[in-house]
Amino acid sequence: MCANCVPWRDEILANHRLEEAPVHWNNCIPHLWPYEKWEVAKVYMPGGQRIKCSFDKFDITALLNLMANCNHFRAFVETQKLLQVNEVRNIATHAPDMTVSEEDLKKYLVKIKDLGRALEPHAPRLRRLSTETDRLRKMLDSPEQESGVRCFAASFDVMSEWDAERFSLTERTEFLLQCYQEEQLDGLKEAVQGTVKYLEHSEKLKAILGRELSKLHWIQKQRERLEQDTKYQ
């Protein structure tokens, strides 16, 4: 690391929640720190962010980790609120059959609404989140509601049901890929199998999300190879 980058590195570390989270230096290109804000931000995110360089390229867990791991954001929101919502996202994304129970979803909505309310003074557009979580909660209380609820954002008016489904599946694929890369393997095999099965059941989804399906097949092959290597050791 060059002399110009050292002060940036030291400042990044001084503002990092080091005792609780790893530092992902491989996410960034150090000599760009003085010029590109996202190169600094990516150090606080999970691994696998290196080629991303703009806000719209990061998923929700990357942004939640940024706010949770960087001390700068403690002035705006409690770290625990961020971690709780990130946990909700991970649980929902990791669900093998892509569903959560109605009871769990109600608990998750409370945590999501709580975070949104905390951030409203700094991001007024989040006021809509409270309205939407309340609306979804009322839908869950309806006697016609099924016992299992799909892990899609489709119930929100923010996007169409089809767009929400594509978004959710893309997010889920990236999350599963990240889990594999970071060797978080518990439940990964079942989650990947469930997602592949869901995608292959729809010709439309297979056509639109072919790249995601290829990534999932790649994870499956890598897992199979790992299992074979372990078997013959």
Side-chain angles (χ1 to χ4, degrees):
M1 183 173 291
C2 71
N4 291 332
C5 293
V6 170
W8 284 86
R9 178 203 63 189
D10 294 344
E11 190 66 18
I12 288 170
L13 290 175
N15 284 279
H16 199 289
R17 198 168 56 93
L18 294 171
E19 70 279 6
E20 301 290 341
V23 181
H24 290 282
W25 298 114
N26 289 336
N27 275 347
C28 61
I29 303 173
H31 74 263
L32 294 179
W33 284 339
Y35 314 106
E36 300 290 343
K37 62 185 178 183
W38 289 110
E39 291 301 320
V40 176
K42 288 190 292 185
V43 181
Y44 300 95
M45 297 179 181
Q49 312 295 328
R50 189 174 180 85
I51 65 173
K52 301 174 183 178
C53 56
S54 61
F55 177 81
D56 61 320
K57 300 299 181 182
F58 299 110
D59 63 13
I60 186 62
T61 195
L63 299 172
L64 288 171
N65 274 275
L66 164 62
M67 291 191 288
N69 294 332
C70 180
N71 292 337
H72 170 76
F73 293 96
R74 292 188 179 182
F76 306 104
V77 62
E78 295 176 25
T79 301
Q80 189 60 28
K81 294 182 186 295
L82 296 162
L83 295 177
Q84 287 178 345
V85 173
N86 198 37
E87 182 183 21
V88 167
R89 186 264 186 189
N90 291 345
I91 291 172
T93 308
H94 224 145
D97 59 355
M98 301 181 67
T99 64
V100 295
S101 70
E102 180 180 328
E103 180 181 357
D104 284 341
L105 182 55
K106 288 179 179 179
K107 294 177 182 177
Y108 299 160
L109 288 173
V110 171
K111 295 178 180 180
I112 294 169
K113 181 179 178 179
D114 191 31
L115 176 60
R117 293 291 294 272
L119 291 172
E120 275 181 18
H122 316 289
R125 291 175 62 185
L126 286 175
R127 293 193 182 101
R128 185 176 181 183
L129 183 61
S130 294
T131 302
E132 292 297 331
T133 52
D134 288 341
R135 189 176 67 84
L136 182 53
R137 177 61 186 265
K138 290 179 180 178
M139 290 175 59
L140 293 174
D141 291 334
S142 169
E144 291 82 16
Q145 176 60 48
E146 298 178 3
S147 58
V149 183
R150 282 281 170 198
C151 299
F152 295 141
S155 297
F156 292 91
D157 286 336
V158 178
M159 58 180 74
S160 70
E161 182 173 347
W162 171 244
D163 286 339
E165 186 172 24
R166 286 192 299 167
F167 176 80
S168 180
L169 286 165
T170 300
E171 281 257 306
R172 181 179 175 87
T173 300
E174 291 302 318
F175 172 73
L176 295 176
L177 182 60
Q178 178 186 322
C179 287
Y180 175 77
Q181 292 170 338
E182 297 184 358
E183 299 184 354
Q184 300 174 15
L185 304 181
D186 289 346
L188 180 62
K189 181 178 180 179
E190 294 76 14
V192 171
Q193 287 177 340
T195 310
V196 168
K197 182 178 179 180
Y198 187 87
L199 281 170
E200 291 184 337
H201 185 70
S202 168
E203 291 298 326
K204 186 176 182 180
L205 286 174
K206 283 173 61 177
I208 298 296
L209 299 175
R211 180 180 297 180
E212 282 67 28
L213 189 57
S214 295
K215 291 179 181 179
L216 293 168
H217 284 152
W218 180 83
I219 296 173
Q220 286 182 315
K221 290 179 181 178
Q222 297 303 312
R223 288 284 295 149
E224 290 171 0
R225 184 178 302 172
L226 179 61
E227 290 175 357
Q228 288 294 325
D229 291 344
T230 303
K231 180 179 179 181
Y232 292 109
Q233 282 181 355

